[in-house]
């Protein structure tokens, strides 16, 4: 008892000395004296009232109170957002410097292909697989890169401070790859695709997915609403039916990869941590993405663009591949139709081949297709092409016995036959069949 009483006495004296109230230690009640209550009120008063309430010698102590508010997950700055945006701008300037741009700072198709635009023919037939890394970093016009930049910065300020710069950039490169792969496998072979839309869509969808983590509680609703407003119009073609130059396949591919990355982050993200785990993995993804782009741009500078894309992006046969004579065109007709399905000249040559082997039904189909496609190719085909197609289609119909339909098809082509070369026998047949007047 003596020893325990000594411990109690020492503890009592120590506490009494600290608080300066040795006489009142054993007599304190539940209600503090008025002076004590005034001291507490002074300590918790608003900073604006502190200079008035606190004594002159203690005013500095009032402002030096410890913060009990935890560090917010959104305190980081979007460094990767600005670095990636700078990279996109540098690449776009390089596109403009290849050759004089068109209207509204639109790089020519030749310049885009020379830099590294994405194209199925170039990848699958030319073996230029590096274009999957370069195409997503390019843009087709000033308006194109401006629109993407606005969305990119908005999403960057929402997502990057939450998940960190490393994972943000990693999702960008993974989304770029997903969008490029979808564009390659689901677009027409002649399509030339550029733009970071797939990568941005990945970030948009990842923003929505990551908004369900506890660290995003402060901005959960804002992240979900912003990402939904961007994602829905970008994924639903019905929202923009008038635009034929939007690569919805790339949007869908980027969105899919972004969703997978978002779910992966949630799985790797302990709820007790402010950032997702495995940051070194994100850094490896970034290095691979940058390395692929660097190799791609180097390969693009060292190799000319494919011939079938160099002249136009509408799928027409370039001058370098256009047959020099009709017999050459007939011999190459199968390949031309396969590679350039939107060029009426390939269908015309194919129709002549089928007409030679007496396949009138097949010839009629090919020649009618050539006639239907001719208006869209008016600027690239010979002005006499329409008359040539009409005469050959009339020959096919007349050979099948459809004289009246042959007359309707031939129309003014009969009177313009004098402008065509090598149609003497054709005109003789049509005149003998009663399709064209003698």
């Amino acid at each position: 008892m003596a020893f325990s009483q000594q411990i109690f006495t020492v503890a009592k004296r120590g506490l009494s000395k600290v608080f300066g109230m040795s006489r009142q230690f054993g007599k304190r009640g539940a209600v503090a004296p008025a002076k004590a209550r005034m001291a507490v009120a002074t300590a918790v008063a608003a900073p604006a009232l502190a200079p008035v309430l606190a004594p002159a010698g203690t005013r500095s102590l009032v402002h030096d109170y410890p913060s009990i508010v935890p560090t917010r997950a959104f305190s980081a700055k979007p460094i990767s957002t600005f670095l990636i945006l700078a990279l996109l701008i540098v690449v776009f300037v390089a596109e403009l410097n290849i050759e004089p741009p068109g209207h509204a700072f639109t790089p020519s198709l030749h310049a885009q292909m020379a830099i590294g635009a994405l194209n199925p023919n170039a990848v699958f037939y030319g073996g230029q697989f590096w274009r999957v890394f370069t195409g997503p970093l390019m843009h087709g016009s000033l308006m194109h890169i401006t629109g993407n930049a606005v969305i990119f910065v908005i999403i960057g300020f929402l997502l990057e401070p939450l998940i960190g710069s490393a994972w943000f950039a990693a999702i960008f490169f993974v989304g770029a790859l997903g969008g490029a792969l979808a564009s390659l496998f689901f677009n027409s072979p002649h399509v030339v695709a550029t733009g970071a839309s797939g990568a941005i869509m990945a970030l948009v969808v990842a923003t929505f997915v990551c908004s369900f983590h506890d660290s995003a509680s402060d901005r959960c609703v804002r992240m979900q609403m912003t990402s939904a407003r961007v994602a829905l119009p970008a994924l639903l073609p019905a929202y923009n039916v008038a635009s034929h130059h939007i690569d919805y396949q790339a949007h869908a591919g980027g969105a899919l990869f972004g969703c997978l990355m978002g779910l992966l982050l949630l799985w790797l993200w302990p709820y007790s941590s402010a950032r997702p785990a495995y940051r070194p993995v994100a850094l490896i993804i970034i290095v691979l993405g940058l390395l692929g782009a660097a190799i791609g741009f180097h390969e693009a500078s060292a190799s000319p663009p494919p011939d079938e894309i160099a002249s136009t992006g509408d799928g027409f046969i370039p001058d370098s591949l256009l047959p020099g004579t009709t017999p050459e065109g007939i011999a190459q007709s199968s390949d031309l139709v396969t590679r350039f399905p939107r060029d009426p000249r390939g269908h015309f040559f194919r129709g002549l081949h089928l007409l030679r082997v007496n396949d009138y039904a097949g010839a009629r189909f090919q020649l009618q297709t050539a006639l239907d496609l001719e208006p869209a190719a008016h600027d690239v085909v010979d002005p006499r092409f329409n008359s040539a197609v009409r005469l050959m289609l009339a020959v096919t119909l007349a050979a099948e016995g459809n004289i009246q339909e042959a007359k309707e098809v031939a129309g003014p082509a009969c009177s313009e036959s004098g402008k065509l070369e090598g149609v003497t026998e054709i005109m003789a047949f049509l005149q003998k069949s009663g399709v064209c007047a003698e």
Side-chain angles (χ1 to χ4, degrees), residues 31-294:
V31 180
K35 292 184 179 180
R37 292 200 301 269
M38 184 60 185
V40 173
T42 303
V44 300
L49 298 178
V52 178
L53 298 179
T58 61
R59 288 177 186 175
S60 60
L61 299 178
V62 177
H63 298 282
D64 296 335
Y65 49 83
S67 174
I68 61 172
V69 180
T71 302
R72 297 180 61 186
F74 294 94
S75 60
K77 296 181 180 180
I79 299 175
S80 288
T81 299
F82 293 113
L83 290 178
I84 294 175
L85 182 60
L87 174 62
L88 298 179
I89 294 175
V90 169
V91 173
F92 182 69
V93 172
E95 294 179 59
L96 297 178
N97 288 333
I98 290 293
E99 57 186 45
H103 176 68
F105 292 96
T106 302
S108 67
L109 183 72
H110 182 274
Q112 294 181 48
M113 288 301 297
I115 288 290
L118 188 64
N119 170 254
N121 276 338
V123 173
F124 296 124
Y125 294 107
Q128 299 177 343
F129 296 98
W130 42 264
R131 292 183 181 271
V132 299
F133 296 101
T134 56
L137 301 180
M138 301 171 57
H139 289 85
S141 66
L142 179 60
M143 182 177 295
H144 188 194
I145 189 174
T146 301
N148 276 354
V150 171
I151 300 300
F152 181 62
V153 170
I154 292 175
I155 295 300
F157 272 86
L158 284 176
L159 181 61
E160 183 178 349
L162 175 65
I163 65 176
S165 299
W167 275 115
F168 180 85
I171 294 176
F172 176 88
F173 285 108
V174 171
L177 179 62
L181 293 177
S183 181
L184 279 179
F185 286 104
F186 297 103
N187 272 329
S188 177
H190 65 265
V191 168
V192 177
T194 59
S197 301
I200 295 174
M201 278 304 305
L203 293 170
V204 170
V205 175
T207 298
F208 184 85
V209 175
C210 291
S211 68
F212 292 95
H213 194 273
D214 280 356
S215 298
S217 58
D218 290 349
R219 299 187 183 182
C220 176
V221 176
R222 181 181 174 187
M223 292 174 67
Q224 293 174 4
M225 293 298 295
T226 302
S227 57
R229 289 172 181 172
V230 175
L232 290 179
L235 293 175
L236 299 179
Y239 274 72
N240 203 349
V241 177
S243 179
H244 302 287
H245 301 287
I246 297 178
D247 193 348
Y248 290 106
Q249 288 76 12
H251 290 186
L256 175 61
F257 276 56
C259 179
L260 294 177
M261 288 295 293
L263 294 175
L264 178 63
L265 285 189
L266 289 182
W267 184 50
L268 299 176
W269 195 345
Y271 277 89
S272 60
S273 176
R275 296 284 187 274
Y278 299 98
R279 184 172 178 268
V281 176
L283 296 176
I284 293 175
I285 296 175
I286 297 171
V287 171
L288 292 177
L290 291 174
L291 184 61

Side-chain angles (χ1 to χ4, degrees), residues 121 125 189-190 307-308 315 321 334-341:
N121 276 338
Y125 294 107
H190 65 265
D307 290 337
E308 60 264 34
L321 296 181
S334 178
D335 182 62
L336 293 175
V337 169
T338 301
R339 295 171 64 184
F340 308 99

